[in-house]
Amino acid sequence: MHDYQHFLQEILIDQQQLATRVAELAAVLDRDYAGIKGLTLVCILKGGIMFLTDLMRHLTVPHAVEFMAASSYGVEARESTGHVKIGLDIPSERIRGKHVLIVEDIIDSGTTLAYVRQMLLDRQPASLKICTLLNKPERRETPVPVDYIGFEIPNKFVFGYGLDLDELYRNLPFIGVVNPGAILTRE
Ligand code: IMP
Ligand code: MG
């Protein structure tokens, strides 16, 4: 028994469902960006890593990859603080004139993405779209246009496949719902 099972209420999206949907999204992106030069995927760290790397494996359209670290969460909080912190940025010249696709793990309040989107728009990309694996529409506070969505999910805290539970379990191959009754203990 792995220790994450203590925190797992249920598996919301299993490995096979993720693999199928990521391949579908890549096929749509390949079609929409066919013939486009200068596609740049901007992965939002850390949660977007699994989605990005799986998506890249399927994409055939040539693309560059950049990373940005953004967070709107306090260290302890499960709720968005409304403050967005940029921990890692991208030089403007790698955005200007590029067809930028933001690759994100989950859109919750929308605060993080709305902020990052405006930052990137200010650098005058040729186009800017957003691709998120998960969307929690019920939680939206800041409107943000989303072009590609993997799954719409209910208002529950989830982890796995890039998403963390207090920085752990990003490696799990599925998206799981956190058991609200499980009290987290730290070492
Ligand atoms: P937003 O600014 O409220 O949209 O927050 C988005 C960010 O919060 C995501 O990129 C995640 O890193 C994190 N987040 C939001 N909901 C969850 C969740 O259910 N599990 C893990 N991380 C989450
Ligand atoms: Mg994130």
Side-chain angles (χ1 to χ4, degrees), residues 29-108:
L29 292 170
D30 265 343
R31 191 193 66 209
D32 289 0
Y33 287 97
I36 294 266
K37 298 236 170 358
L39 173 61
T40 297
L41 308 184
V42 171
C43 175
I44 311 299
L45 296 174
K46 304 170 189 172
I49 51 168
M50 289 284 199
F51 181 38
L52 172 83
T53 52
D54 280 348
L55 198 62
M56 286 173 67
R57 275 183 263 256
H58 290 283
L59 276 183
T60 62
V61 59
H63 57 275
V65 181
E66 300 287 348
F67 295 92
M68 229 172 142
S71 57
S72 63
Y73 277 66
V75 176
E76 303 281 328
R78 291 285 141 64
E79 299 288 313
S80 176
T81 59
H83 295 283
V84 180
K85 221 178 76 195
I86 301 298
L88 175 72
D89 202 354
I90 305 165
S92 294
E93 65 269 19
R94 292 200 215 152
I95 297 299
R96 189 167 297 116
K98 298 287 166 41
H99 291 274
V100 171
L101 180 67
I102 298 177
V103 178
E104 174 66 303
D105 53 352
I106 183 166
I107 308 182
D108 190 39

Coordinates of all heavy atoms in Angstrom, one line a residue, residues 29-108:
L29 N -4.8 20.0 -31.9 CA -3.8 21.0 -32.0 C -3.0 20.9 -33.3 O -2.7 21.9 -34.0 CB -2.9 20.9 -30.8 CG -3.5 21.3 -29.4 CD1 -2.5 20.9 -28.3 CD2 -3.8 22.8 -29.4
D30 N -2.7 19.6 -33.7 CA -2.0 19.4 -34.9 C -2.8 19.9 -36.1 O -2.2 20.5 -37.0 CB -1.8 17.9 -35.1 CG -0.4 17.4 -34.7 OD1 0.5 18.3 -34.5 OD2 -0.3 16.2 -34.5
R31 N -4.1 19.8 -36.0 CA -5.0 20.3 -37.1 C -5.0 21.8 -37.1 O -4.8 22.5 -38.1 CB -6.4 19.7 -36.9 CG -7.3 19.9 -38.1 CD -8.7 19.6 -37.7 NE -9.2 20.5 -36.7 CZ -10.1 20.3 -35.7 NH1 -10.7 19.1 -35.6 NH2 -10.5 21.2 -34.9
D32 N -5.2 22.4 -35.9 CA -5.4 23.8 -35.7 C -4.1 24.6 -36.0 O -4.2 25.7 -36.5 CB -5.9 24.2 -34.3 CG -7.4 23.8 -34.1 OD1 -8.0 23.2 -35.1 OD2 -7.9 24.0 -33.0
Y33 N -3.0 24.0 -35.7 CA -1.7 24.7 -35.9 C -1.0 24.2 -37.2 O 0.2 24.5 -37.3 CB -0.8 24.5 -34.7 CG -1.3 25.4 -33.5 CD1 -2.1 24.9 -32.5 CD2 -0.9 26.8 -33.5 CE1 -2.5 25.7 -31.5 CE2 -1.4 27.6 -32.4 CZ -2.2 27.0 -31.4 OH -2.6 27.8 -30.4
A34 N -1.6 23.4 -38.0 CA -1.0 22.9 -39.2 C -0.4 24.0 -40.1 O -1.1 25.0 -40.3 CB -2.0 22.1 -40.0
G35 N 0.8 23.9 -40.4 CA 1.5 24.9 -41.3 C 2.0 26.1 -40.6 O 2.6 27.0 -41.2
I36 N 1.6 26.2 -39.3 CA 2.0 27.4 -38.5 C 3.5 27.3 -38.1 O 3.9 26.3 -37.6 CB 1.2 27.5 -37.3 CG1 -0.3 27.8 -37.6 CG2 1.7 28.5 -36.3 CD1 -0.7 29.2 -37.7
K37 N 4.2 28.4 -38.4 CA 5.6 28.4 -37.9 C 5.7 29.2 -36.6 O 5.1 30.2 -36.5 CB 6.5 29.1 -39.0 CG 6.5 28.4 -40.4 CD 7.9 28.1 -40.8 CE 8.0 27.1 -42.0 NZ 6.8 26.6 -42.6
G38 N 6.6 28.7 -35.8 CA 6.8 29.5 -34.5 C 5.8 29.2 -33.4 O 5.6 30.0 -32.6
L39 N 5.3 27.9 -33.4 CA 4.5 27.5 -32.3 C 5.4 27.4 -31.0 O 6.4 26.7 -31.1 CB 3.7 26.2 -32.6 CG 2.9 25.6 -31.4 CD1 1.8 26.6 -30.9 CD2 2.3 24.3 -31.8
T40 N 5.0 28.0 -29.9 CA 5.7 27.9 -28.7 C 4.8 27.5 -27.6 O 3.8 28.2 -27.3 CB 6.4 29.2 -28.3 OG1 7.3 29.6 -29.4 CG2 7.1 29.2 -27.0
L41 N 5.0 26.3 -27.0 CA 4.2 25.9 -25.8 C 4.8 26.5 -24.6 O 6.0 26.4 -24.4 CB 4.3 24.4 -25.7 CG 3.9 23.5 -26.9 CD1 4.0 22.0 -26.5 CD2 2.6 23.9 -27.5
V42 N 4.0 27.2 -23.8 CA 4.4 27.8 -22.6 C 3.8 26.9 -21.4 O 2.6 27.0 -21.2 CB 4.0 29.2 -22.4 CG1 4.3 29.8 -21.0 CG2 4.8 30.1 -23.5
C43 N 4.6 26.1 -20.8 CA 4.2 25.3 -19.7 C 4.2 26.0 -18.4 O 5.2 26.7 -18.1 CB 5.0 24.0 -19.6 SG 4.7 23.0 -18.2
I44 N 3.1 26.0 -17.6 CA 3.1 26.6 -16.3 C 3.5 25.6 -15.3 O 2.8 24.6 -15.0 CB 1.7 27.2 -16.0 CG1 1.1 28.1 -17.2 CG2 1.7 28.0 -14.7 CD1 2.0 29.3 -17.6
L45 N 4.6 25.9 -14.7 CA 5.2 25.0 -13.6 C 4.4 25.2 -12.3 O 4.0 26.3 -12.1 CB 6.7 25.3 -13.4 CG 7.6 25.0 -14.6 CD1 9.0 25.5 -14.4 CD2 7.6 23.6 -15.0
K46 N 4.4 24.2 -11.5 CA 4.9 22.9 -11.8 C 3.9 21.9 -12.3 O 4.2 20.9 -12.9 CB 5.5 22.3 -10.5 CG 6.5 23.1 -9.8 CD 6.9 22.5 -8.4 CE 7.7 23.5 -7.6 NZ 7.9 23.0 -6.2
G47 N 2.6 22.3 -12.1 CA 1.5 21.3 -12.3 C 1.4 20.9 -13.8 O 0.9 19.8 -14.1
G48 N 1.9 21.7 -14.7 CA 1.7 21.4 -16.1 C 2.6 20.3 -16.7 O 2.5 20.0 -17.9
I49 N 3.6 19.9 -15.9 CA 4.7 19.1 -16.5 C 4.3 17.8 -17.2 O 4.7 17.5 -18.3 CB 5.8 18.8 -15.5 CG1 5.2 18.2 -14.2 CG2 6.7 20.0 -15.2 CD1 6.3 17.6 -13.2
M50 N 3.4 17.0 -16.5 CA 3.0 15.7 -17.0 C 2.2 15.9 -18.3 O 2.4 15.2 -19.3 CB 2.2 14.9 -16.0 CG 2.9 14.5 -14.9 SD 3.9 13.0 -15.3 CE 4.1 12.3 -13.7
F51 N 1.3 16.8 -18.3 CA 0.4 17.1 -19.4 C 1.3 17.6 -20.6 O 1.1 17.1 -21.7 CB -0.6 18.2 -19.0 CG -1.6 18.5 -20.0 CD1 -2.1 17.6 -20.9 CD2 -2.0 19.9 -20.1 CE1 -3.0 18.0 -21.9 CE2 -2.9 20.3 -21.1 CZ -3.4 19.3 -22.0
L52 N 2.2 18.5 -20.3 CA 3.1 19.0 -21.4 C 3.8 17.9 -22.0 O 3.8 17.7 -23.3 CB 4.1 20.0 -20.8 CG 5.1 20.4 -21.9 CD1 4.6 21.5 -22.8 CD2 6.5 20.8 -21.2
T53 N 4.5 17.0 -21.3 CA 5.4 16.0 -21.8 C 4.6 15.0 -22.6 O 5.0 14.5 -23.7 CB 6.3 15.4 -20.8 OG1 5.6 14.9 -19.7 CG2 7.4 16.4 -20.3
D54 N 3.4 14.6 -22.1 CA 2.6 13.6 -22.8 C 2.0 14.3 -24.1 O 2.0 13.6 -25.2 CB 1.5 13.1 -21.9 CG 2.0 12.0 -21.0 OD1 3.1 11.5 -21.2 OD2 1.2 11.7 -20.0
L55 N 1.6 15.5 -24.0 CA 1.1 16.2 -25.2 C 2.2 16.3 -26.3 O 1.9 16.0 -27.5 CB 0.7 17.6 -24.8 CG -0.3 18.4 -25.6 CD1 -1.6 17.7 -25.8 CD2 -0.5 19.8 -25.0
M56 N 3.4 16.7 -25.9 CA 4.5 16.8 -26.8 C 4.8 15.5 -27.6 O 5.2 15.6 -28.7 CB 5.8 17.2 -26.1 CG 5.8 18.7 -25.6 SD 7.3 19.0 -24.6 CE 8.6 18.8 -25.8
R57 N 4.7 14.4 -26.9 CA 5.0 13.1 -27.5 C 4.0 12.8 -28.7 O 4.4 12.1 -29.6 CB 4.9 12.0 -26.5 CG 6.2 11.8 -25.7 CD 6.0 10.6 -24.7 NE 5.7 11.1 -23.4 CZ 6.6 11.2 -22.4 NH1 7.8 10.8 -22.6 NH2 6.2 11.6 -21.3
H58 N 2.8 13.4 -28.6 CA 1.9 13.2 -29.7 C 1.9 14.2 -30.8 O 1.5 14.0 -31.9 CB 0.5 13.1 -29.1 CG 0.2 11.9 -28.3 ND1 -0.1 10.7 -28.8 CD2 0.1 11.7 -26.9 CE1 -0.3 9.8 -27.9 NE2 -0.1 10.4 -26.7
L59 N 2.3 15.5 -30.4 CA 2.3 16.6 -31.4 C 3.3 16.3 -32.5 O 4.4 16.0 -32.3 CB 2.6 17.9 -30.7 CG 1.6 18.7 -30.0 CD1 2.2 20.0 -29.5 CD2 0.4 19.0 -30.9
T60 N 2.8 16.5 -33.7 CA 3.7 16.4 -34.9 C 4.1 17.8 -35.4 O 5.1 17.9 -36.1 CB 3.1 15.6 -36.0 OG1 2.0 16.2 -36.5 CG2 2.8 14.2 -35.5
V61 N 3.3 18.8 -35.1 CA 3.6 20.2 -35.6 C 4.9 20.6 -34.8 O 5.0 20.4 -33.6 CB 2.4 21.1 -35.4 CG1 2.0 21.2 -34.0 CG2 2.7 22.5 -35.9
P62 N 5.9 21.2 -35.5 CA 7.1 21.6 -34.8 C 6.8 22.7 -33.8 O 6.1 23.6 -34.1 CB 8.0 22.2 -35.9 CG 7.4 21.6 -37.2 CD 6.0 21.5 -37.0
H63 N 7.4 22.6 -32.6 CA 7.1 23.5 -31.6 C 8.3 23.7 -30.6 O 9.1 22.8 -30.4 CB 5.9 23.1 -30.8 CG 6.0 21.7 -30.2 ND1 5.8 20.6 -30.9 CD2 6.5 21.3 -28.9 CE1 6.0 19.5 -30.1 NE2 6.4 19.9 -28.9
A64 N 8.4 24.9 -30.1 CA 9.4 25.2 -29.0 C 8.7 25.1 -27.7 O 7.5 25.1 -27.7 CB 10.0 26.6 -29.2
V65 N 9.5 24.9 -26.6 CA 8.9 24.8 -25.3 C 9.5 25.8 -24.4 O 10.8 26.0 -24.4 CB 9.1 23.4 -24.7 CG1 8.5 23.3 -23.3 CG2 8.5 22.4 -25.6
E66 N 8.7 26.5 -23.6 CA 9.2 27.5 -22.6 C 8.5 27.2 -21.3 O 7.4 26.6 -21.3 CB 8.9 28.9 -23.0 CG 9.6 29.4 -24.3 CD 11.1 29.6 -24.2 OE1 11.6 29.6 -23.1 OE2 11.7 29.7 -25.3
F67 N 9.1 27.6 -20.2 CA 8.5 27.4 -18.9 C 8.4 28.7 -18.1 O 9.2 29.5 -18.2 CB 9.4 26.4 -18.1 CG 9.5 25.0 -18.7 CD1 10.6 24.7 -19.6 CD2 8.6 24.1 -18.4 CE1 10.6 23.5 -20.1 CE2 8.7 22.8 -18.9 CZ 9.7 22.5 -19.8
M68 N 7.2 28.7 -17.4 CA 7.0 29.8 -16.6 C 6.5 29.3 -15.2 O 5.7 28.3 -15.2 CB 5.8 30.7 -17.1 CG 6.1 32.1 -17.2 SD 4.8 32.9 -18.1 CE 4.7 34.4 -17.1
A69 N 7.0 29.8 -14.1 CA 6.5 29.3 -12.8 C 5.5 30.4 -12.3 O 5.9 31.6 -12.1 CB 7.6 29.0 -11.9
A70 N 4.3 30.0 -12.0 CA 3.3 30.9 -11.4 C 2.5 30.2 -10.4 O 2.2 29.0 -10.5 CB 2.4 31.4 -12.5
S71 N 2.3 30.9 -9.3 CA 1.4 30.3 -8.3 C 0.6 31.4 -7.6 O 0.9 32.5 -7.5 CB 2.3 29.6 -7.2 OG 3.2 30.6 -6.7
S72 N -0.6 30.9 -7.2 CA -1.5 31.8 -6.5 C -1.9 31.2 -5.2 O -3.0 31.6 -4.7 CB -2.8 32.1 -7.4 OG -3.5 30.9 -7.6
Y73 N -1.1 30.3 -4.7 CA -1.4 29.6 -3.5 C -0.4 29.9 -2.4 O 0.8 30.0 -2.8 CB -1.4 28.1 -3.7 CG -2.7 27.6 -4.3 CD1 -3.1 27.9 -5.5 CD2 -3.5 26.8 -3.5 CE1 -4.3 27.5 -6.0 CE2 -4.7 26.3 -4.0 CZ -5.1 26.7 -5.3 OH -6.3 26.2 -5.8
G74 N -0.8 30.1 -1.2 CA 0.1 30.1 -0.1 C 0.7 28.7 0.2 O 0.2 27.8 -0.4
V75 N 1.7 28.6 1.0 CA 2.4 27.3 1.2 C 1.4 26.3 1.8 O 1.4 25.2 1.4 CB 3.6 27.5 2.1 CG1 4.2 26.2 2.4 CG2 4.6 28.4 1.4
E76 N 0.6 26.7 2.7 CA -0.3 25.8 3.4 C -1.7 25.7 2.8 O -2.4 24.8 3.0 CB -0.5 26.2 4.9 CG 0.9 26.4 5.7 CD 1.4 25.0 6.1 OE1 0.6 24.1 6.4 OE2 2.6 24.9 6.2
A77 N -2.0 26.8 2.1 CA -3.4 26.9 1.7 C -3.9 26.0 0.6 O -3.1 25.7 -0.3 CB -3.7 28.3 1.3
R78 N -5.1 25.5 0.7 CA -5.7 24.7 -0.4 C -6.5 25.7 -1.3 O -7.0 25.3 -2.3 CB -6.7 23.7 0.1 CG -6.1 22.6 0.8 CD -5.4 21.6 -0.2 NE -4.2 21.1 0.4 CZ -4.2 20.4 1.5 NH1 -5.2 20.0 2.1 NH2 -3.0 20.1 2.0
E79 N -6.7 26.9 -0.8 CA -7.5 27.9 -1.6 C -6.6 28.9 -2.2 O -5.5 29.3 -1.7 CB -8.4 28.6 -0.6 CG -9.4 27.7 0.1 CD -10.5 27.2 -0.9 OE1 -11.1 28.0 -1.6 OE2 -10.8 26.0 -0.9
S80 N -7.0 29.4 -3.4 CA -6.2 30.4 -4.0 C -6.2 31.7 -3.2 O -7.2 32.1 -2.6 CB -6.9 30.7 -5.4 OG -6.2 31.8 -6.0
T81 N -5.0 32.3 -3.1 CA -4.9 33.6 -2.3 C -5.3 34.8 -3.1 O -5.5 35.9 -2.6 CB -3.5 33.8 -1.9 OG1 -2.6 33.8 -3.0 CG2 -3.0 32.7 -1.0
G82 N -5.4 34.6 -4.4 CA -5.7 35.8 -5.3 C -4.4 36.5 -5.7 O -4.5 37.4 -6.5
H83 N -3.3 36.2 -5.1 CA -2.0 36.8 -5.4 C -1.3 35.9 -6.3 O -1.1 34.7 -6.0 CB -1.2 37.1 -4.2 CG -1.9 38.2 -3.3 ND1 -1.9 39.5 -3.6 CD2 -2.5 38.0 -2.1 CE1 -2.5 40.1 -2.6 NE2 -3.0 39.2 -1.7
V84 N -0.8 36.4 -7.5 CA 0.0 35.6 -8.4 C 1.4 35.9 -8.2 O 1.8 37.1 -8.3 CB -0.5 35.8 -9.8 CG1 0.3 34.9 -10.8 CG2 -2.0 35.4 -9.9
K85 N 2.2 34.9 -8.0 CA 3.7 35.1 -7.9 C 4.3 34.5 -9.1 O 4.1 33.3 -9.4 CB 4.2 34.4 -6.6 CG 5.2 35.3 -5.9 CD 5.6 34.6 -4.6 CE 6.5 33.4 -4.9 NZ 6.7 32.5 -3.7
I86 N 5.2 35.2 -9.8 CA 5.9 34.7 -10.9 C 7.3 34.3 -10.4 O 8.1 35.1 -10.1 CB 6.0 35.7 -12.1 CG1 4.7 36.1 -12.6 CG2 6.9 35.1 -13.2 CD1 3.8 35.0 -13.1
G87 N 7.6 33.0 -10.4 CA 8.9 32.5 -9.9 C 9.9 32.3 -11.0 O 11.1 32.3 -10.8
L88 N 9.4 32.1 -12.2 CA 10.3 32.0 -13.4 C 9.6 32.6 -14.6 O 8.5 32.3 -14.8 CB 10.5 30.5 -13.6 CG 11.4 30.1 -14.9 CD1 12.8 30.5 -14.7 CD2 11.2 28.7 -15.2
D89 N 10.4 33.4 -15.3 CA 9.8 34.2 -16.4 C 10.5 33.8 -17.7 O 11.5 33.1 -17.7 CB 9.8 35.7 -16.1 CG 8.8 36.5 -16.9 OD1 8.1 35.9 -17.8 OD2 8.7 37.7 -16.7
I90 N 9.9 34.3 -18.8 CA 10.5 34.0 -20.1 C 10.9 35.3 -20.8 O 10.1 36.3 -20.7 CB 9.4 33.3 -21.0 CG1 8.9 32.1 -20.4 CG2 10.0 33.0 -22.4 CD1 7.6 31.6 -21.0
P91 N 12.1 35.4 -21.4 CA 12.5 36.7 -22.0 C 11.5 37.1 -23.1 O 11.0 36.2 -23.8 CB 13.9 36.3 -22.6 CG 14.4 35.1 -21.9 CD 13.1 34.4 -21.5
S92 N 11.2 38.4 -23.2 CA 10.2 38.9 -24.1 C 10.4 38.4 -25.6 O 9.4 38.2 -26.3 CB 10.1 40.4 -24.1 OG 9.7 40.8 -22.8
E93 N 11.7 38.4 -26.0 CA 11.9 38.1 -27.4 C 11.6 36.6 -27.8 O 11.5 36.3 -28.9 CB 13.4 38.4 -27.7 CG 14.4 37.6 -27.0 CD 14.9 38.2 -25.7 OE1 14.2 39.1 -25.2 OE2 16.0 37.8 -25.2
R94 N 11.4 35.8 -26.8 CA 11.0 34.4 -27.1 C 9.4 34.3 -27.2 O 8.9 33.2 -27.4 CB 11.5 33.4 -26.0 CG 13.0 33.3 -26.1 CD 13.5 32.1 -25.4 NE 14.7 32.3 -24.7 CZ 15.2 31.7 -23.7 NH1 14.4 30.7 -23.1 NH2 16.3 31.9 -23.2
I95 N 8.8 35.4 -26.9 CA 7.3 35.4 -27.0 C 6.8 36.3 -28.2 O 5.9 35.9 -28.9 CB 6.7 36.0 -25.7 CG1 7.0 35.0 -24.5 CG2 5.2 36.2 -25.9 CD1 6.5 33.6 -24.7
R96 N 7.5 37.4 -28.4 CA 7.2 38.4 -29.5 C 7.1 37.7 -30.8 O 8.1 37.0 -31.2 CB 8.1 39.5 -29.5 CG 7.7 40.7 -30.4 CD 8.4 42.0 -30.2 NE 8.2 42.4 -28.8 CZ 9.2 42.6 -27.9 NH1 10.4 42.2 -28.1 NH2 8.9 43.0 -26.7
G97 N 6.0 37.8 -31.5 CA 5.8 37.3 -32.9 C 5.6 35.8 -32.9 O 5.4 35.2 -34.0
K98 N 5.5 35.1 -31.8 CA 5.4 33.6 -31.7 C 3.9 33.3 -31.6 O 3.1 34.1 -31.0 CB 6.2 33.0 -30.6 CG 7.7 33.2 -30.7 CD 8.2 32.3 -31.8 CE 9.6 32.7 -32.2 NZ 10.6 33.0 -31.2
H99 N 3.5 32.1 -32.0 CA 2.2 31.6 -31.8 C 2.2 30.8 -30.5 O 2.8 29.7 -30.4 CB 1.7 30.7 -32.9 CG 1.4 31.5 -34.2 ND1 0.2 32.1 -34.4 CD2 2.3 31.8 -35.2 CE1 0.3 32.7 -35.6 NE2 1.5 32.6 -36.1
V100 N 1.7 31.5 -29.4 CA 1.9 30.9 -28.1 C 0.7 30.1 -27.6 O -0.4 30.6 -27.8 CB 2.2 32.1 -27.1 CG1 2.2 31.6 -25.6 CG2 3.5 32.8 -27.4
L101 N 1.0 28.9 -27.1 CA -0.1 28.1 -26.5 C 0.3 27.8 -25.0 O 1.3 27.2 -24.8 CB -0.2 26.8 -27.3 CG -1.3 25.8 -26.7 CD1 -2.7 26.4 -26.9 CD2 -1.2 24.5 -27.4
I102 N -0.5 28.4 -24.1 CA -0.2 28.1 -22.7 C -0.7 26.7 -22.4 O -1.9 26.4 -22.7 CB -1.0 29.2 -21.8 CG1 -0.4 30.6 -22.1 CG2 -0.8 28.9 -20.3 CD1 -1.2 31.7 -21.4
V103 N 0.1 25.9 -21.7 CA -0.2 24.6 -21.3 C -0.3 24.6 -19.8 O 0.7 24.7 -19.1 CB 0.8 23.5 -21.8 CG1 0.4 22.1 -21.3 CG2 0.8 23.6 -23.3
E104 N -1.5 24.3 -19.2 CA -1.8 24.5 -17.8 C -2.4 23.2 -17.3 O -3.1 22.5 -18.0 CB -2.7 25.7 -17.6 CG -3.2 25.9 -16.2 CD -2.1 26.3 -15.2 OE1 -1.2 25.5 -15.0 OE2 -2.2 27.3 -14.5
D105 N -2.2 22.9 -16.0 CA -2.8 21.7 -15.4 C -4.3 21.9 -15.1 O -5.1 21.0 -15.5 CB -2.1 21.3 -14.1 CG -1.9 22.4 -13.1 OD1 -2.3 23.6 -13.4 OD2 -1.5 22.1 -12.0
I106 N -4.6 23.0 -14.5 CA -6.0 23.2 -14.0 C -6.3 24.7 -13.9 O -5.5 25.5 -13.5 CB -6.2 22.4 -12.7 CG1 -7.7 22.5 -12.2 CG2 -5.3 23.0 -11.6 CD1 -8.0 21.5 -11.1
I107 N -7.5 25.0 -14.3 CA -8.0 26.4 -14.1 C -9.1 26.3 -13.0 O -10.1 25.6 -13.2 CB -8.6 27.0 -15.4 CG1 -7.5 26.9 -16.5 CG2 -8.9 28.5 -15.1 CD1 -7.9 27.6 -17.8
D108 N -8.8 27.0 -12.0 CA -9.7 27.0 -10.8 C -10.4 28.3 -10.7 O -11.4 28.6 -11.4 CB -8.7 26.7 -9.6 CG -9.4 26.4 -8.3 OD1 -10.5 25.7 -8.3 OD2 -9.0 26.8 -7.2

